Amino acid sequence: MDRGPFPQAELDRLPDTGRVVVGVSGGADSCALSHWLAGRIPRERLLLAHVNHGLRGEEALRDEAFVRDFAGQLGLQLQVERADTRAFARERGLGLEEAGRMLRYGFFARLAPGDDDRILTAHTADDNAETVLLRAARGTGPKGLGGIPPARGKVLRPFLGVTRAQTEAYCRAEGIPFVTDSSNLDPGFSRNRVRLEVLPALRQINPRAVEAIARAAALQREMTDFVEDQAEALLRRARLPYGLSAQVLGEAPAFLRQTAVKRWLEEKQPRDLEEKHIQAALAVLEAGGAAPLPGGWTVRRAQGVLSALRERAGEPFRMAVGPGENRLPDGRRLVLTPVKRGPDGHFSQDMGGPGEKIHNLLFKNGIDCAIIKGELVARSRLPGDRFARKGAGRPQPLKRIFQELGMPPALRSGAVLLETGGGLVFCEGAGAGAGCGVTEATRQALAVEILPGEA
């Protein structure tokens, strides 16, 4: 595609079909992007989108009217959203800038529901430089120094390599009108101070400072992507049933170990996770012990395993269970799926097809229905409990089994045991007991799953 006056513009990620939603504020950047796109993409695909945030009174109404007229001149479709940003921010405890961003992108997303639909914003190299400098001043990590990503989900930023001077020059050359948001001139906002004071000072050192920062950010994004891939590979090697191998993590370089632990903690989705919590987890990995995380989570190292968990209720429990979903006292779900062996020797669910998942479950967590004598009971452990694991010979104390499994002590009191006829036939983590699992002679079985509680 001929990029004309914007050789740095990037449209390679844009599908050949689907709606193209273009965020338009009325400023030079978004007006230049809209005009440039109208000459390169079928106009029936383009939809301009404008949000009146209700923050600037008459000036906001002026901008809305301008965008309506601008879309009409280009012959493009337009959707306008009026929002009460202040009320939205109050309701959610957000700052105005974050609230406005959420409202904008939420509106854009509603206009782009199709798989091939995309959202284009007019962020420029100047916006990227401002973001990098702000993050560096406030304190950030490698990912933050990568600045604004050129693509995230359906959102594309084709002008990220284009400077603001270029968009303004394009508007002048093509006779494209635009408006100026007076709030962009207020030095009371940190971003404006960077734009009005810091970047001009840097241009005195290097007239192409913005482009230099953009190149550095792009290199940082590439390095960050590489590190993220390596961290994911490290996590795969370190994963254990109840956490991560402290030995595997400890053998990795420090920066890779930190990235992996951060990704792992983010999987748990504790609220308000901050850098100090990542550092606390790394300290626990190094020295042992435990540290609290937001939302009632605790990270601890014990027996060579780094775990992050919510403490389960320690009250003993005993309850009759049956096929289907059974709610456990700690909120988790015990799912027992009945299966039958067919004439072909394969198992299938009573209610439907075979499913690879069921066969995988039966390998370890399948109970032969022939050994169930009367009532099937789910319960917590009792003093003196012993369990015979498949292939392990004589019954062993549960404490030893839990230790061998690497189950954190805080989870053991809530571990699920299944009992029938006075004997244990299943232990969470260990699977079906000796003589209780699925064999070639099994005709009917129960596949056992223990799932988290629903959010």
Side-chain angles (χ1 to χ4, degrees):
M1 177 183 290
D2 177 23
R3 289 165 174 78
F6 301 120
Q8 311 95 327
E10 172 62 71
L11 280 179
D12 293 345
R13 294 181 176 90
L14 189 67
D16 293 332
T17 60
R19 175 182 285 176
V20 180
V21 178
V22 186
V24 182
S25 65
D29 298 338
S30 60
C31 287
L33 176 62
S34 302
H35 185 277
W36 181 75
L37 289 170
R40 287 161 176 77
I41 296 175
R43 297 193 178 212
E44 61 270 18
R45 291 184 63 192
L46 290 171
L47 172 62
L48 305 190
H50 175 78
V51 177
N52 182 339
H53 295 93
L55 296 174
R56 294 180 290 117
E58 290 298 321
E59 185 176 284
L61 294 174
R62 178 209 67 181
D63 291 355
E64 179 185 322
F66 169 83
V67 171
R68 291 184 185 277
D69 184 60
F70 175 72
Q73 291 178 24
L74 290 181
L76 298 177
Q77 305 172 74
L78 171 70
Q79 288 285 340
V80 174
E81 172 100 328
R82 290 189 176 183
D84 188 341
T85 306
R86 286 191 176 86
F88 184 84
R90 283 195 304 271
E91 291 169 3
R92 289 161 177 77
L94 302 171
L96 287 177
E97 184 177 358
E98 176 66 10
R101 190 192 70 81
M102 290 180 64
L103 288 167
R104 278 195 306 279
Y105 282 96
F107 175 51
F108 297 159
R110 293 195 297 274
L111 297 176
D115 290 342
D116 287 339
D117 294 347
R118 292 296 182 270
I119 299 162
L120 272 57
T121 66
H123 290 90
T124 65
D126 293 69
D127 295 309
N128 202 15
E130 293 163 11
T131 297
V132 171
L133 292 171
L134 275 172
R135 290 177 178 174
R138 290 169 173 166
T140 188
K143 189 171 184 178
L145 292 175
I148 303 172
R152 178 178 288 159
K154 289 187 175 184
V155 178
L156 306 179
R157 300 180 174 97
F159 272 15
L160 206 58
V162 175
T163 66
R164 188 167 294 130
Q166 288 178 287
T167 63
E168 292 177 353
Y170 178 80
C171 288
R172 288 193 298 270
E174 298 291 334
I176 303 168
F178 59 89
V179 294
T180 299
D181 181 344
S182 63
S183 66
N184 289 338
L185 304 176
D186 182 355
F189 294 102
S190 298
R191 180 174 289 273
N192 291 348
R193 292 183 66 186
V194 172
R195 179 184 304 128
L196 301 172
E197 301 172 15
V198 177
L199 280 177
L202 291 176
R203 287 193 182 97
Q204 292 179 8
I205 300 172
N206 177 7
R208 299 181 66 83
V210 164
E211 293 93 324
I213 294 171
R215 287 194 300 272
L219 287 171
Q220 184 61 56
R221 286 195 297 272
E222 291 182 12
M223 292 175 62
T224 299
D225 289 344
F226 174 77
V227 171
E228 292 281 351
D229 290 343
Q230 294 299 306
E232 184 58 42
L234 174 60
L235 279 179
R236 287 195 296 270
R237 296 195 304 272
R239 287 189 190 276
L240 297 171
Y242 298 100
L244 302 178
S245 165
Q247 179 178 347
V248 172
L249 290 176
E251 293 170 350
F255 72 93
L256 198 56
R257 182 164 61 243
Q258 177 168 335
T259 304
V261 168
K262 180 175 184 292
R263 286 177 68 106
W264 174 66
L265 289 178
E266 287 172 345
E267 293 173 4
K268 311 296 180 183
Q269 297 182 332
R271 297 182 59 185
D272 304 319
L273 187 68
E274 299 177 10
E275 180 62 22
K276 64 182 180 182
H277 302 120
I278 309 298
Q279 294 303 319
L282 291 169
V284 168
L285 174 63
E286 180 72 22
L293 297 176
W297 291 78
T298 300
V299 61
R300 57 168 44 89
R301 174 179 172 173
Q303 298 176 337
V305 178
L306 184 71
S307 62
L309 49 94
R310 282 194 178 106
E311 304 289 344
R312 292 180 191 159
E315 292 296 320
F317 67 92
R318 182 183 181 90
M319 55 185 285
V321 294
E325 183 173 297
N326 303 267
R327 181 71 65 170
L328 297 170
D330 62 9
R332 293 183 298 160
R333 294 168 292 150
L334 171 66
V335 180
L336 303 176
T337 304
V339 294
K340 294 181 179 179
R341 191 189 295 274
D344 60 358
H346 292 96
F347 284 97
S348 63
Q349 299 181 43
D350 283 355
M351 69 290 289
E356 183 178 351
K357 178 181 177 183
I358 290 297
H359 287 293
N360 291 340
L361 281 172
L362 289 175
F363 180 74
K364 177 180 178 182
N365 290 356
I367 299 175
D368 191 330
C369 288
I371 60 93
I372 299 177
K373 307 298 181 183
E375 187 176 58
L376 186 64
V377 171
R379 67 169 176 84
S380 54
R381 66 174 176 171
L382 297 172
D385 270 340
R386 301 173 72 87
F387 182 73
R389 302 170 67 179
K390 286 193 294 185
R394 294 183 302 174
Q396 296 176 308
L398 282 179
K399 180 178 180 179
R400 179 182 300 176
I401 292 173
F402 290 152
Q403 288 174 339
E404 293 175 356
L405 291 171
M407 182 182 291
L411 299 184
R412 296 174 188 176
S413 63
V416 177
L417 306 173
L418 294 181
E419 174 190 293
T420 185
L424 294 178
V425 297
F426 175 90
C427 172
E428 180 179 351
C436 304
V438 174
T439 67
E440 291 295 327
T442 301
R443 309 311 305 169
Q444 294 181 307
L446 283 179
V448 183
E449 285 183 279
I450 301 171
L451 304 177
E454 295 175 342

